[in-house]
Amino acid sequence: DQQVKQNSPSLSVQEGRISILNCDYTNSMFDYFLWYKKYPAEGPTFLISISSIKDKNEDGRFTVFLNKSAKHLSLHIVPSQPGDSAVYFCAASGAGGTSYGKLTFGQGTILTVHP
Amino acid sequence: DSGVTQTPKHLITATGQRVTLRCSPRSGDLSVYWYQQSLDQGLQFLIQYYNGEERAKGNILERFSAQQFPDLHSELNLSSLELGDSALYFCASSDRQGAGEQYFGPGTRLTVT
C-alpha cells in the first residue's frame, strides 16, 4: 500500500517557465512534508518542507503548497532552470507514536528543464 | 555536501556473505536513519537510531541489523546476502527524534553476485 504517491513519472518544462510537481498521500496521520531533489549517483538533497499547520511555504524559487482536505501537496519552481533537471521526491512524516522521524517517500518525478 | 559521510561508496560481494556499511552523521546530529533504494521499491525506510537508542523500525529484514555508537556514527550490517539485496543504501541524519529535515549521505551501492 503506497501511502505517498507521485503519479507523474516525468515532467518536461521550458527554461524560465513554471514547474509544478504533485504528490498525494493517504495517511491522515502525516503532519510534516518534505521535497527532495536527487541527481544520479548522489544522495537526496533537502529542498523545502511544510508542516500541516501551514498551507504554503516559500524559499526563493521554490514554493510548497499543502491542501490537507485533499491530501495533496505540490512543489512550484519558478523560474525553472536547466540545473533543476533531476528526480524530485515527495516525502511525509507522521506524528510521534512509533514512527518518530521515519520518512515515507513517493516514487519520484523526473523533471527535465529544456534550455 | 550534506555533511553526512558514508563508506564504502561501492561494494561487490557474493551471495551468502556479510557486509558492514558505515555512516557518520552531520556534526551535532543525534538521529541517524538508514534507507534502501532499489529499482522496484523506491526509497524505503529501514531503521532509526537516536543518541544510541533504536527509535523506529521499518520493513528491515531479520538478516539486517544496525547500531549507533557513542561517537554517534552508525553501522548497518547485512548478512546472508541475497541477489535481491543489491541496492543503494542511504544514511541520513537530523538534529531531532521526530519530524524534521533529514540530510542524506552519498550512499553505498551494494552489488550481490
Side-chain angles (χ1 to χ4, degrees):
Chain A
D1 172 32
Q2 206 174 336
Q3 298 185 64
V4 178
K5 295 179 187 178
Q6 294 175 255
N7 292 317
S8 298
S10 63
L11 175 67
S12 184
V13 169
Q14 208 65 32
E15 181 179 6
R17 306 294 289 267
I18 184 171
S19 295
I20 300 176
L21 297 113
N22 294 302
C23 178
D24 296 298
Y25 62 95
T26 57
N27 189 339
S28 56
M29 293 295 290
F30 287 144
D31 66 351
Y32 199 81
F33 304 88
L34 308 91
W35 284 94
Y36 284 85
K37 177 168 86 169
K38 188 180 182 302
Y39 295 115
E42 293 184 14
T45 300
F46 169 72
L47 277 177
I48 192 168
S49 60
I50 187 167
S51 163
S52 60
I53 62 172
K54 294 184 169 184
D55 54 20
K56 177 182 172 181
N57 189 26
E58 205 168 341
D59 184 1
R61 296 187 298 116
F62 302 93
T63 303
V64 56
F65 295 92
L66 175 62
N67 181 336
K68 286 189 292 294
S69 59
K71 293 193 179 70
H72 176 85
L73 63 155
S74 61
L75 174 68
H76 293 208
I77 307 173
V78 183
S80 301
Q81 299 172 353
D84 295 329
S85 298
V87 181
Y88 287 77
F89 289 96
C90 165
S93 186
T98 59
S99 59
Y100 284 93
K102 166 189 173 181
L103 291 180
T104 301
F105 283 87
Q107 293 296 97
T109 296
I110 301 170
L111 173 66
T112 305
V113 180
H114 298 283
Chain B
D1 183 356
S2 67
V4 178
T5 61
Q6 288 187 249
T7 57
K9 269 185 138 44
H10 303 278
L11 202 45
I12 302 174
T13 189
T15 54
Q17 295 298 304
R18 173 189 166 95
V19 297
T20 297
L21 312 184
R22 184 188 165 104
C23 167
S24 292
R26 292 187 319 162
S27 177
D29 283 357
L30 297 179
S31 268
V32 168
Y33 305 80
W34 287 97
Y35 293 86
Q36 179 193 57
Q37 184 181 27
S38 55
L39 277 173
D40 56 344
Q41 292 290 324
L43 271 159
Q44 300 280 318
F45 168 76
L46 294 177
I47 197 163
Q48 175 196 0
Y49 279 82
Y50 178 80
N51 203 20
E53 301 283 331
E54 184 184 301
R55 274 293 175 263
K57 226 169 178 176
N59 293 329
I60 186 168
L61 299 171
E62 284 192 15
R63 300 183 285 109
F64 294 4
S65 65
Q67 54 184 323
Q68 185 180 28
F69 294 86
D71 68 352
L72 301 177
H73 91 271
S74 177
E75 292 180 358
L76 179 67
N77 300 296
L78 315 176
S79 61
S80 303
L81 285 167
E82 302 174 359
L83 295 178
D85 298 327
S86 295
L88 269 167
Y89 291 85
F90 291 105
C91 167
S93 74
S94 78
D95 60 0
R96 63 198 73 178
Q97 289 193 72
E101 294 78 36
Q102 295 178 21
Y103 296 87
F104 282 76
T108 293
R109 180 174 291 282
L110 173 67
T111 303
V112 182
T113 62

